[in-house]
């Protein structure tokens, strides 16, 4: 048992003994089916805090000869497999977290990794070759001596590619090392399974073929791996019941990643929310949200408009195929949006080929990024959203009209069009913070038609009233209120309190003025 060679199962033990543990051991069934086949190298690229490292510790615990893990897996899904004991603790495992080496050793990274692994190998196999021999040859000699195949796990493999793009010689040496481990002639003999994790998909580097034999699973397409990274809706529903949390609120804050038609939640944020019993933007405290501002303020035609529309709840078509899997080589709007998808700052609908803001936590991250960036006018507008919301709740129609007018001035200059769709987008942006308390639904089916915007308060929203907002272009606000009543839009809001606010908003295109009328009515 060593630090890098045949590690223990202590990391996984801590995970399953935690207050929250979701059984993801079914992943091992998939990996067992990849052992010893021609394409036995797997790359999982997902956003930070999506459970990649915990999965790697589970793989250690299952395959490593450095521990006995039968008991800790005995109640998990993998134990039901007919192959459970066939592969349990039967392999020589090497596990590296490259991020823990890269910044410290820099140019000496590869030589230091080889030295540390070699020293541990030498302890168990003292007869192996000297360190000056090729690393793959040494691993193959260990295999020839022991007849035990290797499972090699590399966590954060891509940090060298991401962080040292200005040092091509270092990157080249690192890729040669990976080639020897995963694709050399010797590795075909000793390698049972290769498993690497990172943030970005594998970058295609000219004249380099170190990783072109990997099967890739990403935030865009994870296939059978999807449910093993992140929390599913069923898993989160169970946690909400256990910790007495409102599942609709948790969904609004942390759901929204649609991967292979599965709705996935950010697991780290859900963990923090249910254990602390508090809904907050936890992810921004652990991720580099400066990345958002860096990318969305790039000077690509249409980018600002598309980001604004996504912040207002719309989906935007994106061509993900042009992205070069390199954050230093962003050359178009589509590449910006694709990078943000892989980083977890946008969701992706594969069926519609569109990007969107997945949840309120990410919305808050954009708000935080914009407050420190170049989009001062949008940041100022968002800062007025809470005032607008409470002015609406208190029936201050004149104040509401003034704040919406300020919002309209901000966003129509970006959206470059003026019509009722633009007004709907403006209103949604004006109430940017409302999803913290409400389920905000555009084009809500109600009564005899569709209400423009309906805000349904969640049970933990502090007794806020339901709202119906009807928009009118070049008509007065009274006409909006009249339409709400005539078409009985409030009829579908029974059960959401005793009263509902009817909010009519109009825009006079000629005078560029807004009017608001607010009425409070009983729900019958």
């Amino acid at each position: 048992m060593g630090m890098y060679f045949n590690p223990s199962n202590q990391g996984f033990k801590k995970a399953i003994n935690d207050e929250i543990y979701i059984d993801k051991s079914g992943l091992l069934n998939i990996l067992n089916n990849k052992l010893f086949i021609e394409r036995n190298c797997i790359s999982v690229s997902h956003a930070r805090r999506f459970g990649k490292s915990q999965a790697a510790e589970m793989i250690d615990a299952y395959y490593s000869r450095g521990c006995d893990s039968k008991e800790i897996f005995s109640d998990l899904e993998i134990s039901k497999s007919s192959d459970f004991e066939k592969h349990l603790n039967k392999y020589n495992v090497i596990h590296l977290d490259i991020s823990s080496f890269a910044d410290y050793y820099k140019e000496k990274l590869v030589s230091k990794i080889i030295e540390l692994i070699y020293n541990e190998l030498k302890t168990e196999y003292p007869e192996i070759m000297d360190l000056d021999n090729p690393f793959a040859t040494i691993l193959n000699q260990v295999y020839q001596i022991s007849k035990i195949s290797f499972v090699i796990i590399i966590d954060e493999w891509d940090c060298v590619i991401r962080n040292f793009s200005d040092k091509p010689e270092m990157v080249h040496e690192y890729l040669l090392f990976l080639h020897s481990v995963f694709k050399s002639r010797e590795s075909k003999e000793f390698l049972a399974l290769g498993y690497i994790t990172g943030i970005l998909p594998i970058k295609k580097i000219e004249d380099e073929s170190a990783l072109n034999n990997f099967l890739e699973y990403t935030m865009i397409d994870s296939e059978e791996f999807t449910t093993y990274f992140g929390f599913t809706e069923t898993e989160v529903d169970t946690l909400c019941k256990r910790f007495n949390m409102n599942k609709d609120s948790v969904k609004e804050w942390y759901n929204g990643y649609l991967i292979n038609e599965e709705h996935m939640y950010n697991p780290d944020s859900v963990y923090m929310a249910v254990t602390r019993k508090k809904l907050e933007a936890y992810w921004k405290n652990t991720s580099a949200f400066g990345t958002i501002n860096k990318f969305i303020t790039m000077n690509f035609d249409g980018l600002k408009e598309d980001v604004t529309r996504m912040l207002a709840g719309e989906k935007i078509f994106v061509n993900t195929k042009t992205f070069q899997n390199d954050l230093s080589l962003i050359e178009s709007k589509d590449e910006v949006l694709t990078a943000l998808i892989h980083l977890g700052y946008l969701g992706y609908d594969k069926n519609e080929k569109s990007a969107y803001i997945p949840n309120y936590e990410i919305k808050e991250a954009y708000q935080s990024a914009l407050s420190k960036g170049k989009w001062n006018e949008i940041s100022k507008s968002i800062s007025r959203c809470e005032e607008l919301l409470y002015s609406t709740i208190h029936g201050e129609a004149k104040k509401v009209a003034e704040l919406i007018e300020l919002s309209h001035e901000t966003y129509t200059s970006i959206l470059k069009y003026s019509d009722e769709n633009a007004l709907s987008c403006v209103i949604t942006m004006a109430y940017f913070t409302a999803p913290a308390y409400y389920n905000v639904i555009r084009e809500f089916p109600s009564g005899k038609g569709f209400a423009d915007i309906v805000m349904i308060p969640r049970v933990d929203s502090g007794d806020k009233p339901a709202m119906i907002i009807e928009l009118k272009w070049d008509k007065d606000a009274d006409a909006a209120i009249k339409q709400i009543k005539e078409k009985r839009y409030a009829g579908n809001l029974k059960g959401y309190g005793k009263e509902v606010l009817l909010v009519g908003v109009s825009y006079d295109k000629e005078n560029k003025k807004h009017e608001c009328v607010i009425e409070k009515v009983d729900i019958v």
Side-chain angles (χ1 to χ4, degrees):
M1 183 175 70
M3 182 69 71
Y4 312 106
F5 175 59
N6 283 337
S8 73
N9 55 21
Q10 290 304 306
F12 187 56
K13 273 186 177 180
K14 289 180 180 179
I16 64 174
N17 289 327
D18 199 287
E19 185 177 8
I20 289 178
Y21 174 70
I22 302 293
D23 183 3
K24 299 290 185 178
S25 65
L27 173 66
L28 297 167
N29 280 319
I30 299 175
L31 297 181
N32 283 342
N33 290 328
K34 306 290 185 185
L35 292 165
F36 302 110
I37 66 173
E38 181 69 23
R39 300 297 294 273
N40 64 341
C41 291
I42 306 298
S43 171
V44 176
S45 58
H46 273 52
R48 288 185 175 92
R49 302 292 177 172
F50 261 74
K52 301 189 300 295
S53 295
Q54 187 176 104
E57 290 179 337
M58 179 181 70
I59 296 168
D60 283 348
Y62 181 67
Y63 290 119
S64 173
R65 291 176 58 250
C67 52
D68 180 354
S69 300
K70 185 174 181 179
E71 183 178 348
I72 64 175
F73 281 105
S74 61
D75 293 326
L76 302 182
E77 181 183 347
I78 184 61
S79 67
K80 300 173 185 176
S81 169
S82 59
D83 287 337
F84 170 55
E85 293 193 38
K86 177 181 177 180
H87 301 294
L88 179 66
N89 303 132
K90 298 291 174 56
Y91 297 91
N92 278 331
V93 169
I94 292 174
H95 184 167
L96 299 170
D97 178 356
I98 299 301
S99 63
S100 66
F101 289 95
D103 288 334
Y104 189 76
Y105 294 114
K106 293 185 170 62
E107 285 84 354
K108 297 180 180 179
L109 171 70
V110 171
S111 61
K112 196 64 181 179
I113 287 174
I114 293 174
E115 177 188 339
L116 291 170
I117 297 174
Y118 178 84
N119 289 338
E120 293 190 2
L121 288 170
K122 189 78 171 175
T123 300
E124 187 164 344
Y125 302 100
E127 66 270 44
I128 60 174
M129 298 176 178
D130 293 334
L131 185 56
D132 57 358
N133 285 279
F135 185 59
T137 304
I138 294 171
L139 293 182
N140 195 35
Q141 188 190 21
V142 170
Y143 169 69
Q144 297 302 330
I145 293 169
S146 65
K147 298 303 178 184
I148 299 171
S149 297
F150 279 87
V151 170
I152 299 180
I153 305 158
I154 298 186
D155 208 3
E156 296 285 352
W157 83 270
D158 62 334
C159 72
V160 174
I161 312 298
R162 288 185 282 110
N163 298 340
F164 298 98
S165 59
D166 59 336
K167 297 182 178 180
E169 292 183 0
M170 178 183 173
V171 172
H172 177 68
E173 182 186 21
Y174 177 62
L175 290 173
L176 287 178
F177 165 72
L178 296 179
H179 184 280
S180 71
V181 170
F182 296 116
K183 205 184 173 190
S184 64
R185 178 177 58 82
E186 291 95 336
S187 68
K188 293 183 183 298
E189 293 195 42
F190 65 72
L191 187 66
L193 179 72
Y195 182 90
I196 65 175
T197 74
I199 296 173
L200 297 178
I202 294 172
K203 174 179 167 55
K204 307 303 185 287
I205 301 177
E206 188 176 356
D207 299 325
E208 300 282 6
S209 60
L211 301 174
N212 64 5
N213 60 322
F214 273 75
L215 297 172
E216 291 196 71
Y217 302 89
T218 72
M219 293 290 284
I220 288 176
D221 192 351
S222 277
E223 299 179 18
E224 71 268 37
F225 280 68
T226 299
T227 58
Y228 298 109
F229 297 91
F231 286 170
T232 66
E233 285 197 286
T234 300
E235 291 164 347
V236 173
D237 284 353
T238 300
L239 289 173
C240 287
K241 289 177 183 177
R242 177 181 161 193
F243 288 90
N244 194 28
M245 296 284 288
N246 180 261
K247 68 178 183 180
D248 290 335
S249 296
V250 173
K251 180 177 183 177
E252 185 68 33
W253 272 84
Y254 309 117
N255 188 19
Y257 295 97
L258 185 62
I259 308 174
N260 291 92
E261 300 186 8
E262 290 278 356
H263 289 272
M264 302 302 296
Y265 289 69
N266 180 324
D268 188 65
S269 295
V270 171
Y271 175 96
M272 297 295 288
V274 299
T275 55
R276 295 188 177 188
K277 293 189 177 298
K278 190 174 183 180
L279 300 173
E280 286 187 0
Y282 294 103
W283 202 29
K284 71 179 181 182
N285 297 323
T286 56
S287 301
F289 275 106
T291 305
I292 295 176
N293 193 267
K294 172 186 174 183
F295 285 149
I296 66 176
T297 55
M298 286 183 167
N299 189 28
F300 297 122
D301 187 45
L303 177 60
K304 194 171 188 178
E305 178 180 350
D306 282 357
V307 170
T308 302
R309 288 171 60 194
M310 285 190 292
L311 288 171
E314 296 185 24
K315 290 184 176 181
I316 300 297
F317 174 80
V318 56
N319 178 5
T320 62
K321 298 185 184 302
T322 63
F323 184 51
Q324 300 178 62
N325 303 339
D326 189 330
L327 300 181
S328 67
L329 297 175
I330 302 291
E331 298 177 346
S332 70
K333 177 184 72 172
D334 283 332
E335 290 177 7
V336 168
L337 299 181
T338 305
L340 291 171
I341 291 168
H342 287 296
L343 292 167
Y345 305 143
L346 290 177
Y348 181 70
D349 187 326
K350 187 178 179 182
N351 291 330
E352 297 183 10
K353 295 181 171 56
S354 58
Y356 58 93
I357 307 291
N359 53 51
Y360 189 68
E361 180 181 40
I362 298 300
K363 265 192 161 187
E364 278 216 345
Y366 277 82
Q367 180 181 357
S368 177
L370 290 170
S371 69
K372 300 174 183 177
K374 301 176 183 177
W375 291 10
N376 294 327
E377 72 279 25
I378 292 180
S379 178
K380 288 178 182 178
S381 181
I382 291 174
S383 70
R384 295 190 290 262
C385 291
E386 286 285 293
E387 182 182 4
L388 172 62
L389 179 62
Y390 283 97
S391 294
T392 308
I393 291 172
H394 296 148
E396 300 170 358
K398 183 178 179 181
K399 185 67 174 179
V400 169
E402 291 173 356
L403 291 171
I404 288 175
E405 194 161 302
L406 290 171
S407 182
H408 201 152
E409 290 171 359
T410 297
Y411 296 115
T412 52
S413 64
I414 298 166
L415 296 172
K416 301 175 184 176
Y417 60 94
S418 295
D419 56 21
E420 200 157 314
N421 289 329
L423 182 57
S424 179
C425 182
V426 165
I427 296 298
T428 305
M429 284 297 293
Y431 287 96
F432 187 83
T433 59
Y437 319 100
Y438 288 89
N439 292 328
V440 181
I441 306 170
R442 291 169 67 172
E443 297 296 322
F444 180 74
S446 182
K448 298 180 180 179
F450 292 83
D452 287 332
I453 298 172
V454 169
M455 295 190 188
I456 301 175
R458 291 191 291 276
V459 296
D460 55 354
S461 67
D463 296 323
K464 289 180 174 58
M467 300 186 203
I468 299 173
I469 303 176
E470 189 65 24
L471 312 175
K472 288 299 176 186
W473 188 267
D474 282 340
K475 294 181 182 178
D476 62 34
D478 286 322
I481 297 293
K482 184 179 179 181
Q483 179 173 321
I484 294 173
K485 292 178 177 179
E486 287 180 348
K487 295 194 174 183
R488 301 176 183 175
Y489 289 159
N492 280 8
L493 296 180
K494 292 180 180 179
Y496 296 104
K498 297 179 180 179
E499 298 176 328
V500 60
L501 293 183
L502 312 184
V503 183
V505 177
S506 67
Y507 176 63
D508 184 334
K509 182 179 178 182
E510 183 176 345
N511 297 314
K512 296 184 177 180
K513 288 292 181 183
H514 295 75
E515 181 186 9
C516 177
V517 174
I518 300 174
E519 288 189 19
K520 185 183 293 185
V521 299
D522 294 331
I523 299 178
V524 294

